[in-house]
Amino acid sequence: MSLAPAGRFAPSPSADLHIGNLRTAVLAWLFARSTGRRFLLRVEDLDDRTFSEIGTRQIEDLAAIGLTWDEPPQWQTTHRARYDAVIERLQAEHLLYECYCSRRDIAQAPQAPHAPEGAYPGTCRDLTEPERATRRAETGRPPALRLRTDTFVGTVTDLVHGTYTGIVDDFVVRRGDGVPAYNLAVVVDDAESGVDQVVRGDDLLPSSPRQAYLARLLDYPETIYAHVPLVLNEDGARLAKRDGAVTLAEIGVERALEQICRSLGWPALDPDGMLRRFDPAGLPRHPWVYRPG
Ligand code: GLU
């Protein structure tokens, strides 16, 4: 099945969108529309379905600032069957192994030779079946599933950062609680909906080599990335809801659009006006410091 190419915005519904998230959403929309792509929304609610109220509000806020999308927003909790199918496929190809490590175990384990710092040390990679049985009994909690990768690093091309090389370790594809891991869900969903352009905050740049590796393994088409700078508060820390006056309910649509435009060096415009001016090459490369008021 070949779908028309698309871009997307994929918020986690853990809190209302703040001005920085709204700006990233606007940029994702601009990147997609300016390249003739469809634009999709996906609520990444795998962590907790009781957040659906927040997810609904996120969608309403995106509509309120004038963004448009081409299909009803998707919710990851409705996609369990597709994630499970991919996990089964990887399992059938002997590409997954059980991992019994806690965060602490990982932090305390000696680093594997050749592995970059921050990579999973490989503790559970080569256990024998009796060793696995012992570990299962010892830990008393269900294991996570990790992908057996054949490299330590990978490189992606990013429209903002140029080429970026980062860790590709044996990352988790299904968590110990049985929930598909973010890195798996995002790759599967993007491919299933024809997304070939990923625009998101640059806090996620380090996960992109892992995601690109998995996509290649699954024979998915290549993704174009654009990781845009995050928004900071006046103290230089990542903007958060506790900074106050950061959500659309607090700022108001007009002021929020004005602020987003200002951050991009434009006079106040609506999304269609922004689209006429948008030039990815002119995108500020540094974080934007948000000053309320
Ligand atoms: N759900 C992630 C977040 O809100 C973004 C995932 C993505 O864009 O790949 O941080």
Side-chain angles (χ1 to χ4, degrees):
M1 184 176 52
S2 164
L3 290 163
R8 48 61 157 192
F9 183 63
S12 300
S14 47
D16 286 331
L17 298 174
H18 62 53
I19 184 79
N21 309 131
L22 292 169
R23 180 180 186 263
T24 303
V26 166
L27 286 170
W29 184 88
L30 288 170
F31 268 101
R33 294 294 189 220
S34 66
T35 52
R37 285 181 166 79
R38 297 180 301 135
F39 186 67
L40 308 176
L41 289 187
R42 180 174 71 236
V43 182
E44 302 212 314
D45 60 339
L46 280 178
D47 268 330
D48 192 336
R49 8 182 131 208
T50 60
F51 289 149
S52 65
E53 218 179 281
I54 299 177
T56 303
R57 208 153 51 228
Q58 292 179 325
I59 295 167
E60 287 165 1
D61 285 356
L62 295 167
I65 59 170
L67 299 192
T68 50
W69 43 91
D70 299 298
E71 282 176 23
Q74 299 191 359
W75 296 72
Q76 283 191 321
T77 42
T78 65
H79 294 170
R80 279 302 282 271
R82 67 163 69 151
Y83 308 136
D84 290 346
V86 170
I87 290 168
E88 264 170 45
R89 175 177 159 194
L90 293 169
Q91 225 149 10
E93 293 175 33
H94 307 288
L95 286 168
L96 304 185
Y97 64 86
E98 292 188 354
C99 173
Y100 316 94
C101 295
S102 64
R103 272 172 208 275
R104 187 143 156 243
D105 295 333
I106 295 173
Q108 289 175 350
Q111 210 162 305
H114 317 299
E117 204 176 327
Y120 175 67
T123 319
C124 297
R125 184 178 164 113
D126 297 314
L127 298 181
T128 61
E129 206 34 64
E131 283 170 334
R132 288 185 206 285
T134 309
R135 296 290 286 131
R136 239 175 260 142
E138 272 170 10
T139 50
R141 54 169 192 270
L145 290 177
R146 286 185 184 271
L147 183 67
R148 188 181 296 279
T149 58
D150 60 6
T151 181
F152 289 116
V153 289
T155 300
V156 294
T157 306
D158 185 283
L159 297 176
V160 180
H161 295 261
T163 50
Y164 172 80
T165 299
I167 298 175
V168 179
D169 58 356
D170 286 358
F171 58 91
V172 171
V173 295
R174 196 180 72 196
R175 304 180 337 200
D177 60 6
V179 176
Y182 158 68
N183 278 324
L184 178 110
V186 99
V187 166
V188 172
D189 279 339
D190 283 342
E192 290 270 345
S193 43
V195 168
D196 68 342
Q197 181 193 58
V198 167
V199 178
R200 57 189 177 193
D202 62 10
D203 53 327
L204 290 169
L205 182 60
S207 33
S208 55
R210 291 185 180 96
Q211 293 171 12
Y213 179 95
L214 179 60
R216 247 190 322 266
L217 197 64
L218 295 167
D219 294 319
Y220 292 160
E222 199 167 324
T223 298
I224 301 161
Y225 293 99
H227 287 89
V228 301
L230 285 179
V231 178
L232 306 180
N233 67 18
E234 289 176 286
D235 300 327
R238 199 169 145 172
L239 191 72
K241 229 186 136 192
R242 63 178 170 279
D243 290 312
V246 292
T247 63
L248 200 60
E250 291 160 334
I251 306 175
V253 171
E254 203 177 320
R255 184 101 184 97
L257 284 174
E258 204 177 288
Q259 291 271 13
I260 291 168
C261 285
R262 188 195 300 169
S263 82
L264 297 168
W266 296 331
L269 298 164
D270 63 10
D272 286 326
M274 295 186 212
L275 187 54
R276 281 190 286 275
R277 291 209 177 208
F278 183 60
D279 172 15
L283 199 67
R285 297 287 196 265
H286 44 267
W288 170 45
V289 179
Y290 174 68
R291 295 186 174 81

